[in-house]
Amino acid sequence: MAAPPPTQPLVLTFEDARRAVEDHASHLAPGANETVDLLHAAGRVLAEPIAADRDIPPFPRSTRDGYAVRAADLSKLPAKLKVIGEIKAGPQQVPSSLNTGRAFSIMTGAPAPQGADAVVMVEYTSLQGDRLDESAIALMASVGKSRLQVFVRPRIAVLTTGDEIVDVDAEPGPTQIRNSNTYSLAVQIKQAGGDPVLLPIAPDEPRRLRQLIEEGLQSDLLIMTGGVSMGRYDLVEQVLAGLQAEFFFTGAKIQPGRPVVFGRVMCGAGAPARGASAPVSKYFFGLPGNPVSTMVTFELFAKPMLEALAGMSPCPLVFLHARLKTDIRIKPGLTRFLPAILSGKYEDSHAELVPWQGSGDIAARSRANCYIVIPPDRDHIEAGEWVAIMLR
Ligand code: AMP
Ligand code: MG
């Protein structure tokens, strides 16, 4: 099969590429709902609005062990009050009111007697579209929700390409590489709330590559790795062009990860994903094959699409700032996301690059706990300057 020619390169700045992804993500609808037990809902995305059935705290209560008093009785000090009883936390009657000159000994969590100074009460209503972390689960428990409606996790197909790639159980030949991208992506997909669907390794051969891409397009999102550079056997874009794909970008001015590709294919009757009834568009990413590039470009571009399919409200990228520990000299022109270590004490955090051999260096990435983000107009950053940090 003769592959059609590749599309014109469409290389965007980091900001424009990220905006393109966020724009498409904002139009995505999440999948169906399912009902799960409270603990199984941890890490899932809430699909129903929750209304509190009572205030928190639900009654005026003491926040400490001490004495419940009337404030007016203590307007002149010293004052002498008579302790007329003890109030402890538990299923008991709310104590009778507190008269002038009297006090109760009171324990933390116990109901305050009428007349004592009240505590502030809070009401809350909705949480929908957030991932349920431990504090959200605590909130759900406090309003009596033992079962919750959550969105079904989106299915994310992972397709790695390359004649040199062998699976983890195979004994690699002297010029072969074990497949690590499928596994790093599966972990990132799970962490972002998706359900990874692992496809077999695709060779650098258009017919089989096309078959596997068509299979991948049956999931909610297809993420490929490798085969998106300018080499003669980088066939991913050609095969996608043969499926009448629409490309939103075929590169971003970043390092690592420059050849990253984002687009969509119409699937339906007579179109790639056989079996689908009405035509539907499926998004895909072609991530560069170098393992650190794969991880970085997933984080920067694929994650927002996955989160939208999972029912989450869009989360902007968050950058921290820290002082640079050692000078950086770099060629300008690209936004760089370089593996780094953030460390330090209270009020004195600093970051420095991890020495690395380039975007194939998985060991350097695993020693790092963040990326230092360098804007494209900088060629030199001196020790002591504030730099942007993206946590990994
Ligand atoms: P490519 O993007 O196909 O040009 O691949 C770039 C580099 O990443 C090459 O050195 C590949 O051998 C390597 N690579 C590609 N896919 C994988 C993978 N799944 N696991 C580990 N390394 C890979
Ligand atoms: Mg390749």
Side-chain angles (χ1 to χ4, degrees):
M1 184 191 71
T7 51
Q8 288 296 311
L10 183 55
V11 181
L12 305 185
T13 61
F14 164 64
E15 287 80 7
D16 286 347
R18 171 81 191 188
R19 210 169 297 121
V21 169
E22 284 175 351
D23 186 38
H24 286 278
S26 70
H27 293 101
L28 284 176
N33 298 352
E34 59 183 329
T35 302
V36 296
D37 288 343
L38 183 59
L39 268 186
H40 287 115
R44 305 294 298 274
V45 182
L46 192 62
E48 59 174 331
I50 301 288
D53 66 340
R54 62 200 310 226
D55 292 333
I56 292 186
F59 52 88
R61 68 182 180 189
S62 178
T63 57
R64 60 184 62 214
D65 295 338
Y67 293 91
V69 298
R70 299 176 70 95
D73 284 348
L74 302 183
S75 57
K76 278 201 194 106
L77 292 173
K80 215 170 180 182
L81 304 177
K82 185 168 183 189
V83 179
I84 56 167
E86 183 186 83
I87 313 169
K88 62 187 188 54
Q92 63 194 357
Q93 292 285 312
V94 177
S96 55
S97 59
L98 186 58
N99 296 325
T100 305
R102 302 279 193 263
F104 281 101
S105 148
I106 192 166
M107 313 299 146
T108 305
Q114 270 177 31
D117 294 320
V119 286
V120 177
M121 308 222 286
V122 185
E123 254 189 67
Y124 51 86
T125 51
S126 176
L127 254 171
Q128 194 175 356
D130 284 338
R131 268 186 103 186
L132 294 158
D133 63 5
E134 65 274 23
S135 53
I137 293 289
L139 218 42
M140 297 299 111
S142 70
V143 296
K145 294 289 293 185
S146 59
R147 310 242 322 141
L148 292 170
Q149 267 182 51
V150 295
F151 289 112
V152 171
R153 289 191 184 93
R155 286 162 55 81
I156 314 296
V158 180
L159 175 59
T160 202
T161 73
D163 283 344
E164 77 282 28
I165 310 300
V166 296
D167 219 334
V168 61
D169 289 328
E171 188 55 46
T175 59
Q176 289 181 314
I177 298 285
R178 285 202 184 91
N179 175 14
S180 61
N181 289 344
T182 292
Y183 300 98
S184 61
L185 279 174
V187 174
Q188 286 180 296
I189 289 167
K190 282 187 185 180
Q191 283 170 349
D195 183 12
V197 178
L198 308 188
L199 295 172
I201 297 165
D204 293 321
E205 183 276 307
R207 197 182 300 268
R208 178 69 180 139
L209 181 58
R210 181 175 166 132
Q211 266 176 8
L212 287 167
I213 287 179
E214 288 182 346
E215 199 177 323
L217 288 169
Q218 297 188 26
S219 289
D220 298 309
L221 176 69
L222 168 61
I223 301 183
M224 295 160 281
T225 83
V228 288
S229 304
M230 299 304 279
R232 189 179 304 166
Y233 297 100
D234 289 324
L235 301 173
V236 167
E237 279 170 68
Q238 289 182 6
V239 169
L240 287 163
L243 295 170
Q244 275 68 54
E246 185 183 357
F247 291 92
F248 305 118
F249 54 82
T250 57
K253 292 179 187 164
I254 59 170
Q255 193 239 353
R258 198 174 199 278
V260 59
V261 174
F262 173 47
R264 72 178 159 200
V265 176
M266 282 308 287
C267 303
R274 287 180 297 270
S277 43
V280 47
S281 67
K282 290 287 176 69
Y283 287 91
F284 61 80
F285 286 93
L287 309 184
N290 265 314
V292 182
S293 310
T294 307
M295 291 183 238
V296 171
T297 48
F298 174 90
E299 190 70 31
L300 296 178
F301 303 117
K303 198 171 164 193
M305 291 296 280
L306 193 165
E307 288 174 339
L309 288 166
M312 287 179 68
S313 330
C315 330
L317 276 178
V318 175
F319 297 98
L320 314 174
H321 289 86
R323 288 200 189 275
L324 187 64
K325 205 168 171 186
T326 319
D327 285 24
I328 297 178
R329 286 183 186 280
I330 212 127
K331 221 172 110 195
L334 302 173
T335 306
R336 299 189 192 247
F337 297 84
L338 303 179
I341 293 178
L342 178 66
S343 58
K345 298 201 181 87
Y346 180 65
E347 286 195 337
D348 178 29
S349 52
H350 40 248
E352 72 181 321
L353 296 181
V354 172
W356 74 326
Q357 308 296 320
S359 46
D361 192 344
I362 316 177
R365 166 57 165 71
S366 69
R367 282 195 296 277
N369 60 9
C370 67
Y371 298 100
I372 290 180
V373 185
I374 304 178
D377 58 342
R378 299 297 301 270
D379 63 354
H380 178 210
I381 306 182
E382 279 185 23
E385 270 195 62
W386 290 99
V387 284
I389 301 290
M390 188 176 85
L391 292 179
R392 44 158 287 202

